[in-house]
Amino acid sequence: MPHDEPAPLSMVEVQRSVAAELDRIGPVIDDLGRRFTDAGHEIALVGGPVRDAMLGRRHNDLDLTTSAHPDETERLLKGWADAIWDMGRDFGTIGCRKGEWQVEVTTYRSESYDPSSRKPDVAFGDTLAGDLGRRDFTVNAMAVRLPGREVEDPYGGILDLAHRVLRTPGTPEDSFSDDPLRMMRAARFAAQLGFEVDASVVRAMTAMAERIDIISAERVRDELVKLIMSPFPRRGLTLLVETGLAERVLPELPALALERDEHHRHKDVYEHSLTVLEQSIDQEERLGGPDLVSRLAALMHDVGKPRTRRFVDDGTVTFHHHDVVGAKLTRKRMKALRFSNDEIDAVSSLVELHLRFHGYGSGEWTDSAVRRYVRDAGDQLTRLHVLTRADCTTRNRRKAESLRRTYDDLEARIDRLAEAEELGAMRPDLDGNQIMEILGVGPGREVGEAYRHLLELRMDDGPLGEERAREELLAWWAQR
């Protein structure tokens, strides 16, 4: 995946892109436009779909805005849509599906936050211009009236899009007061689109960073996930750190910017972590595509370093046990942001395991140690491969090549053992029922202890076979 900035667009490119996209989605928007205008209402394609059409980005999720109120919108969609849902009715939104298209139609509106509230107050508006004026950025404050396809751009969004810059329709202070989450969206759009953020927007984000505290953890998490899963996450994360927003939503990240002493006794952990993130993204074909767990693990893998940094008398610096401390910090932060338990377990496990490879030396591990590496990684083994390789950011080519060859050797050994021993389903040679039958005991603590003993033997010696496993089990039982 490229990490370079995209080039500016020409107006001709913008016009050509939007015309082609409107033709592609024409069978849906033209028909829907006539349906609403025949009933005496205005309707327009708006926001992200218009912006993405101008960027040549295609998707089948369409956002429209209308003068019709939700009940009337629902009535007009009945008989046209294949399915209708109204979970967003309180916010003026009726959703539907038409063939392969997902469509959301929202009544003209304005919304704002009470300084102490986590939820917006919604009021319906009566003009398209008023609706566009309440949107977050000029590139999202454009519309295409239907069915005539006239472009409405009252705030210069087309020019900003061509120049790849994010500005707000009004003052950024007013915009962020209305919805503080827009500060997170500024960073997210910078990461998604590769846009610059206007200096006035950056100043407002910095001055108003504490306003993000009224936004729910779930909404902050969703924006953070979109940012991290974007093509240019470094751009968005850097903006969060520089404006002070990261201090409030992901404080472990700015904490990585450890003070560097005059002798440069340790590398810049913050910049290193962003580079590891980018290098993990470059390997995502191994994971089948963009992968949130892998990206979060790369970003968080060194968050234990600030807590564990120690200066030694000989002038070196150490970070002993930063893997274990980092895993605990990662788990705590992800819980606070309301990530799922599966995501929390996966990411924190990878953070705890990220140093394990460095005990491999130049290949001195026994087969037993390799088996344990595979067992401890579990279903995160491929992600651990990605993280470990991405964690090499040295500019010393000889050292980097040596690390790569050594990890190649470890992966090859894992593959050989996996083929011979079915490492992916590593279990003792006897199951619980067999253990109970051989020992003549019922379910209980002894069975679990016997199972773990046989598993340790399996790790040390590889597959034993049922006969030897029986002998080892009986010998262990006799010694108890």
Coordinates of all heavy atoms in Angstrom, one line a residue, residues 196-234:
E196 N -4.6 17.7 3.2 CA -4.1 18.6 4.2 C -5.3 19.2 4.9 O -6.4 19.4 4.4 CB -3.3 19.8 3.5 CG -2.0 19.4 2.8 CD -0.9 19.0 3.9 OE1 -1.1 19.4 5.0 OE2 0.0 18.4 3.5
V197 N -5.0 19.5 6.2 CA -6.1 20.2 7.0 C -5.7 21.6 7.2 O -4.6 22.0 7.5 CB -6.1 19.5 8.4 CG1 -7.2 20.2 9.3 CG2 -6.4 18.0 8.3
D198 N -6.7 22.5 6.8 CA -6.4 24.0 6.9 C -5.9 24.4 8.2 O -6.3 23.9 9.3 CB -7.7 24.7 6.5 CG -7.5 26.2 6.4 OD1 -7.0 26.6 5.4 OD2 -7.9 26.9 7.3
A199 N -5.0 25.4 8.2 CA -4.4 25.8 9.5 C -5.5 26.3 10.5 O -5.3 26.1 11.7 CB -3.4 27.0 9.2
S200 N -6.5 26.9 10.0 CA -7.6 27.4 10.9 C -8.3 26.2 11.6 O -8.7 26.3 12.8 CB -8.6 28.3 10.2 OG -9.3 27.5 9.3
V201 N -8.4 25.1 10.9 CA -9.0 23.9 11.5 C -8.1 23.3 12.5 O -8.6 22.9 13.6 CB -9.4 22.9 10.4 CG1 -9.9 21.6 11.0 CG2 -10.4 23.5 9.4
V202 N -6.8 23.3 12.2 CA -5.9 22.7 13.2 C -5.8 23.6 14.5 O -5.8 23.0 15.6 CB -4.5 22.6 12.6 CG1 -3.4 22.2 13.6 CG2 -4.5 21.7 11.4
R203 N -5.9 24.9 14.3 CA -5.9 25.8 15.5 C -7.1 25.5 16.4 O -7.0 25.4 17.6 CB -5.8 27.2 15.1 CG -4.4 27.7 14.6 CD -4.4 29.2 14.5 NE -5.3 29.7 13.6 CZ -5.1 30.0 12.3 NH1 -3.9 29.6 11.8 NH2 -6.0 30.5 11.5
A204 N -8.3 25.4 15.7 CA -9.5 25.1 16.5 C -9.5 23.8 17.2 O -9.9 23.6 18.3 CB -10.7 25.2 15.6
M205 N -9.0 22.7 16.5 CA -8.8 21.4 17.1 C -8.0 21.5 18.3 O -8.3 20.9 19.4 CB -8.3 20.4 16.1 CG -9.2 20.1 14.9 SD -8.3 19.2 13.6 CE -8.0 17.6 14.4
T206 N -6.9 22.2 18.2 CA -5.9 22.3 19.4 C -6.6 23.1 20.5 O -6.5 22.6 21.7 CB -4.7 23.1 18.9 OG1 -4.1 22.4 17.8 CG2 -3.6 23.1 20.0
A207 N -7.3 24.2 20.2 CA -7.9 25.0 21.3 C -9.1 24.3 22.0 O -9.4 24.5 23.1 CB -8.3 26.3 20.7
M208 N -9.8 23.4 21.2 CA -11.0 22.8 21.7 C -10.9 21.3 22.0 O -11.9 20.6 22.1 CB -12.1 23.1 20.6 CG -12.4 24.5 20.3 SD -13.6 24.8 19.0 CE -15.1 24.2 19.8
A209 N -9.7 20.8 22.0 CA -9.5 19.4 22.2 C -10.3 18.8 23.3 O -10.8 17.7 23.2 CB -8.0 19.0 22.3
E210 N -10.4 19.5 24.4 CA -11.1 18.9 25.6 C -12.6 18.7 25.4 O -13.2 17.9 26.0 CB -10.9 19.8 26.8 CG -11.6 21.2 26.7 CD -11.4 22.0 27.9 OE1 -10.5 21.7 28.7 OE2 -12.1 23.0 28.1
R211 N -13.1 19.3 24.3 CA -14.6 19.1 24.0 C -14.9 17.7 23.6 O -16.0 17.3 23.6 CB -15.0 20.1 22.9 CG -15.2 21.5 23.4 CD -16.6 21.7 24.1 NE -17.6 21.7 23.1 CZ -18.9 21.4 23.3 NH1 -19.2 20.9 24.5 NH2 -19.8 21.4 22.4
I212 N -13.8 17.0 23.1 CA -14.1 15.6 22.7 C -14.5 14.7 23.9 O -15.1 13.7 23.7 CB -12.8 15.0 22.1 CG1 -13.1 13.8 21.2 CG2 -11.7 14.6 23.1 CD1 -13.9 14.1 20.0
D213 N -14.3 15.2 25.1 CA -14.6 14.4 26.3 C -16.1 14.1 26.4 O -16.5 13.2 27.1 CB -14.1 15.1 27.6 CG -12.6 15.2 27.6 OD1 -11.9 14.5 26.8 OD2 -12.1 15.9 28.5
I214 N -17.0 15.0 25.8 CA -18.4 14.7 25.9 C -18.9 13.7 24.9 O -20.1 13.3 25.0 CB -19.2 16.0 25.7 CG1 -19.2 16.5 24.3 CG2 -18.7 17.1 26.6 CD1 -20.2 17.6 23.9
I215 N -18.1 13.2 24.0 CA -18.5 12.3 23.0 C -18.3 10.9 23.6 O -17.4 10.6 24.3 CB -17.7 12.4 21.7 CG1 -17.8 13.8 21.1 CG2 -18.1 11.4 20.7 CD1 -19.2 14.2 20.8
S216 N -19.3 10.0 23.3 CA -19.2 8.6 23.8 C -18.0 7.9 23.3 O -17.5 8.1 22.2 CB -20.5 7.9 23.5 OG -20.5 7.6 22.1
A217 N -17.5 6.9 24.2 CA -16.4 6.1 23.8 C -16.6 5.4 22.5 O -15.7 5.2 21.7 CB -16.0 5.2 24.9
E218 N -17.9 4.9 22.3 CA -18.1 4.1 21.1 C -18.0 4.9 19.8 O -17.4 4.5 18.8 CB -19.6 3.6 21.2 CG -19.8 2.5 22.2 CD -20.1 3.0 23.6 OE1 -20.0 4.3 23.8 OE2 -20.3 2.3 24.5
R219 N -18.4 6.2 19.9 CA -18.3 7.0 18.7 C -16.9 7.4 18.4 O -16.4 7.5 17.3 CB -19.2 8.3 18.8 CG -20.7 8.0 18.9 CD -21.5 9.3 18.9 NE -21.6 9.9 17.6 CZ -21.7 11.2 17.4 NH1 -21.8 12.0 18.5 NH2 -21.8 11.7 16.2
V220 N -16.1 7.7 19.5 CA -14.7 8.0 19.3 C -14.0 6.7 18.8 O -13.2 6.9 17.8 CB -14.1 8.4 20.7 CG1 -12.5 8.4 20.6 CG2 -14.6 9.7 21.1
R221 N -14.3 5.6 19.3 CA -13.7 4.3 18.8 C -14.0 4.1 17.3 O -13.0 3.8 16.5 CB -14.2 3.1 19.6 CG -13.8 1.8 19.0 CD -14.8 0.7 19.4 NE -16.1 0.9 18.8 CZ -17.2 0.5 19.4 NH1 -17.3 -0.1 20.5 NH2 -18.4 0.8 18.7
D222 N -15.2 4.4 16.9 CA -15.5 4.2 15.5 C -14.7 5.1 14.6 O -14.3 4.6 13.5 CB -17.0 4.4 15.2 CG -17.9 3.3 15.9 OD1 -17.3 2.3 16.3 OD2 -19.1 3.5 16.0
E223 N -14.5 6.3 15.0 CA -13.7 7.2 14.1 C -12.2 6.8 14.1 O -11.6 6.9 13.1 CB -13.8 8.7 14.7 CG -15.1 9.3 14.3 CD -15.4 9.5 12.8 OE1 -14.4 9.7 12.1 OE2 -16.5 9.4 12.4
L224 N -11.8 6.3 15.3 CA -10.4 5.9 15.4 C -10.1 4.7 14.5 O -9.1 4.6 13.8 CB -10.0 5.6 16.9 CG -8.6 5.5 17.2 CD1 -7.8 6.8 16.9 CD2 -8.5 5.2 18.7
V225 N -11.1 3.8 14.5 CA -11.0 2.6 13.7 C -10.9 3.0 12.2 O -10.1 2.5 11.4 CB -12.1 1.6 13.9 CG1 -12.2 0.5 12.9 CG2 -12.0 1.0 15.3
K226 N -11.8 3.9 11.8 CA -11.8 4.3 10.4 C -10.5 4.9 10.0 O -10.0 4.8 8.9 CB -13.0 5.3 10.1 CG -14.3 4.6 10.2 CD -15.4 5.7 10.1 CE -16.8 5.0 10.3 NZ -17.9 6.1 10.3
L227 N -9.9 5.7 10.9 CA -8.6 6.4 10.7 C -7.5 5.3 10.5 O -6.8 5.4 9.6 CB -8.3 7.3 11.9 CG -7.1 8.2 11.8 CD1 -7.3 9.4 12.8 CD2 -5.8 7.5 12.0
I228 N -7.5 4.4 11.5 CA -6.4 3.4 11.5 C -6.5 2.5 10.2 O -5.5 2.0 9.7 CB -6.4 2.6 12.8 CG1 -6.0 3.5 13.9 CG2 -5.5 1.3 12.7 CD1 -6.2 2.8 15.3
M229 N -7.7 2.3 9.8 CA -7.9 1.4 8.6 C -7.8 2.2 7.3 O -8.0 1.6 6.2 CB -9.3 0.7 8.7 CG -9.4 -0.2 9.8 SD -8.2 -1.6 9.7 CE -9.0 -2.5 8.4
S230 N -7.4 3.4 7.3 CA -7.3 4.3 6.1 C -6.0 4.0 5.4 O -5.0 3.4 6.0 CB -7.4 5.7 6.5 OG -8.7 6.0 7.1
P231 N -5.9 4.5 4.2 CA -4.6 4.3 3.4 C -3.4 5.1 4.0 O -2.3 4.7 3.8 CB -5.0 4.9 2.0 CG -6.4 4.8 1.9 CD -6.9 5.1 3.3
F232 N -3.7 6.2 4.7 CA -2.6 7.1 5.2 C -2.8 7.3 6.7 O -2.9 8.5 7.2 CB -2.6 8.4 4.5 CG -2.7 8.3 3.0 CD1 -3.8 8.5 2.3 CD2 -1.5 8.0 2.3 CE1 -3.9 8.4 0.9 CE2 -1.6 7.9 0.9 CZ -2.8 8.1 0.2
P233 N -2.7 6.3 7.6 CA -3.0 6.5 9.0 C -2.0 7.3 9.7 O -2.4 8.0 10.6 CB -3.0 5.0 9.5 CG -2.2 4.2 8.5 CD -2.5 4.9 7.2
R234 N -0.8 7.3 9.3 CA 0.2 8.2 9.9 C -0.2 9.6 9.9 O 0.0 10.4 10.9 CB 1.6 8.0 9.2 CG 2.7 9.0 9.9 CD 3.9 9.0 9.0 NE 4.7 7.8 9.2 CZ 5.8 7.6 10.0 NH1 6.1 8.6 10.8 NH2 6.4 6.5 10.0

